[in-house]
Amino acid sequence: MVQQSRPSPQNSGPAGRYAGKRARSGPGDGSKAAAITVPSPHRGFAPQGARDRRSYAAIDLGTNNCRLLIAKPSADGFIVVDAFSRIVRLGEGLAATGRISDAAIDRAIAALSVCADKLRRRHVTLARSVATEACRRASNGAEFIQRVYRETGIALDIISAQEEARLAVLGCHALLEPGDGPALIFDIGGGSTELVLVDAHGDGAPHIVDWVSAPWGVVSLTESEAFEHEDAGERLAAYGRMRARVADAFSPLARRLPKDARDIRLLGTSGTVTTLASLHLGLPRYDRQAIDGLIVPCESMRSISDRLSGMALAERQKLPCIGTERADLVVAGCAILESILDIWPALRLGVADRGIREGILRGLMDRDGRMM
């Protein structure tokens, strides 16, 4: 039987990285972040034995996606043994009704049933499963969680926005560019966006200095604004209104951010940044190996955002790495990203195809005595 872990009140310890992942240069004015030092023997793993063969799992049920990661500890982090991701659009229509729709519930349970089957087949013994903004906001969120448990055996934990931000930082901070300047890490979700100012020095997890969770993600922002106008001028006007909404939500943190700081760093984890990074490289299809850890000039991301915001839906659907599943949401993601660049004008953006799930796994391994 899978042991369902509940959150720990303390910050999880230092994080390793994916086994075998190394920094390398990327084409198109992008570069790879520096490799993270392998943990020292003093912070190594417990002696080998039965516990070394344990499998750990993390499920992240977001407003747009359902994601699973199953991994085993390794000498320099962990090795992924299975993964799953499906767009479920759990938050579709939530802004209008305040409830998770029956159709969205059916999609989510179908995806979580696949996850439950993988947990059994991979003999996972310790797992943590979390739900985020859609379940926090929905009036029937708790009812949905109970139904998921009855039908799949998965015990979802509705986490706070603060815990969501902490897990995202824990999962992706290893890809921050080296440097001494302040760093901003962000996660553009389906129903919310978390911005976290961190003090990242040394080998351990960075210290969180300040943070904000804005109630705008790619789904909630898309549903707030009728964007798909026939007239290009109307589309640009709608895009401007999206950006204004996000800027207003970011303004409390923006006023507190350090001014005139030098060597500032920026790292993003979301489908938005990985999709735009794929367009930056001109990839014919998504390639995680090429994207995770890529460093992209922010001006290139702005240029791509500007181009996408002027396109009609049919044009966006034809672009590689966007397609029909992301075409209607990517513009909202662009509006959020540009609003982040407005308040944190870094020259380069680090791109992470990792986040909450990886943060959960590191926390589980730490608490189980696998990382010290």
Side-chain angles (χ1 to χ4, degrees):
M1 180 177 179
V2 177
Q3 180 182 349
Q4 298 286 345
S5 174
R6 292 301 184 185
S8 172
Q10 72 272 11
N11 201 12
S12 295
R17 59 187 179 86
Y18 286 113
K21 180 76 176 175
R22 295 194 60 82
R24 59 187 178 84
S25 297
D29 294 327
S31 61
K32 283 286 181 177
I36 301 301
T37 303
V38 174
S40 71
H42 299 292
R43 300 205 319 276
F45 295 102
Q48 291 186 351
R51 290 166 66 86
D52 294 343
R53 295 187 291 274
R54 294 185 71 167
S55 292
Y56 301 78
I59 295 175
D60 170 21
L61 179 64
T63 302
N64 195 46
N65 292 279
C66 176
R67 299 183 177 96
L68 163 73
L69 209 57
I70 301 174
K72 293 185 177 183
S74 69
D76 61 349
F78 58 76
I79 297 172
V80 174
V81 297
D82 206 345
F84 172 77
S85 179
R86 179 180 293 176
I87 293 177
V88 296
R89 302 209 176 197
L90 188 65
E92 188 174 64
L94 178 61
T97 66
R99 295 177 56 85
I100 302 172
S101 71
D102 291 342
I105 288 173
D106 289 343
R107 291 193 297 265
I109 288 180
L112 289 166
S113 296
V114 175
C115 294
D117 182 60
K118 287 180 176 289
L119 295 180
R120 287 189 292 268
R121 288 192 290 107
R122 294 293 184 177
H123 305 292
V124 172
T125 52
L126 187 59
R128 184 180 179 193
S129 306
V130 304
T132 56
E133 182 68 11
C135 290
R136 286 196 294 263
R137 190 181 300 182
S139 61
N140 60 337
E143 177 185 331
F144 165 69
I145 296 297
Q146 292 171 359
R147 180 176 166 187
V148 167
Y149 184 71
R150 288 196 307 269
E151 297 191 20
T152 70
I154 292 173
L156 285 168
D157 177 29
I158 303 177
I159 58 173
S160 67
Q162 184 174 14
E163 173 69 356
E164 184 178 356
R166 185 189 73 83
L167 288 172
V169 169
L170 186 62
C172 73
H173 76 86
L175 296 180
L176 268 173
E177 277 193 281
D180 296 322
L184 191 70
I185 298 176
F186 66 88
D187 181 4
I188 302 174
S192 66
T193 295
E194 282 66 47
L195 303 181
V196 188
L197 180 67
V198 299
D199 179 11
H201 297 285
D203 295 332
H207 171 66
I208 294 177
V209 177
D210 203 348
W211 72 285
V212 70
S213 179
W216 299 117
V218 294
V219 175
S220 55
L221 188 59
T222 297
E223 292 187 353
S224 77
E225 183 67 47
F227 181 80
E228 303 302 343
H229 303 282
E230 290 296 323
D231 181 73
E234 287 295 323
R235 290 197 296 271
L236 292 178
Y239 185 69
R241 291 191 292 272
M242 284 182 178
R243 289 193 57 185
R245 287 188 178 91
V246 178
D248 182 64
F250 288 167
S251 61
L253 179 65
R255 289 191 291 268
R256 301 192 300 266
L257 289 174
K259 302 299 187 290
D260 302 320
R262 301 185 63 182
D263 301 321
I264 61 176
R265 294 171 286 165
L266 184 63
L267 175 65
T269 170
S270 72
T272 295
V273 293
T274 57
T275 297
L276 268 60
S278 299
L279 294 175
H280 166 77
L281 294 181
L283 298 180
R285 65 188 63 82
Y286 185 72
D287 180 358
R288 184 183 186 277
Q289 288 295 107
I291 295 300
D292 187 48
L294 190 72
I295 307 296
V296 180
C298 288
E299 279 306 309
S300 177
M301 299 299 258
R302 280 195 184 273
S303 176
I304 294 168
S305 297
D306 182 67
R307 179 160 60 96
L308 292 176
S309 66
M311 286 183 174
L313 178 64
E315 295 177 284
R316 297 195 302 275
Q317 289 174 333
K318 296 176 183 177
L319 293 176
C321 304
I322 293 183
T324 56
E325 285 194 326
R326 293 190 180 275
D328 60 334
L329 302 178
V330 69
V331 172
C334 291
I336 296 169
L337 176 59
E338 286 211 82
S339 298
I340 293 170
L341 296 178
D342 288 342
I343 65 172
W344 194 251
L347 295 177
R348 296 172 299 278
L349 169 64
V351 179
D353 186 352
R354 58 178 80 182
I356 291 175
R357 293 176 303 167
E358 290 78 5
I360 290 172
L361 287 173
R362 300 191 196 289
L364 290 177
M365 292 176 189
D366 179 40
R367 290 164 55 193
D368 201 33
R370 300 313 320 269
M371 287 178 172
M372 295 182 284

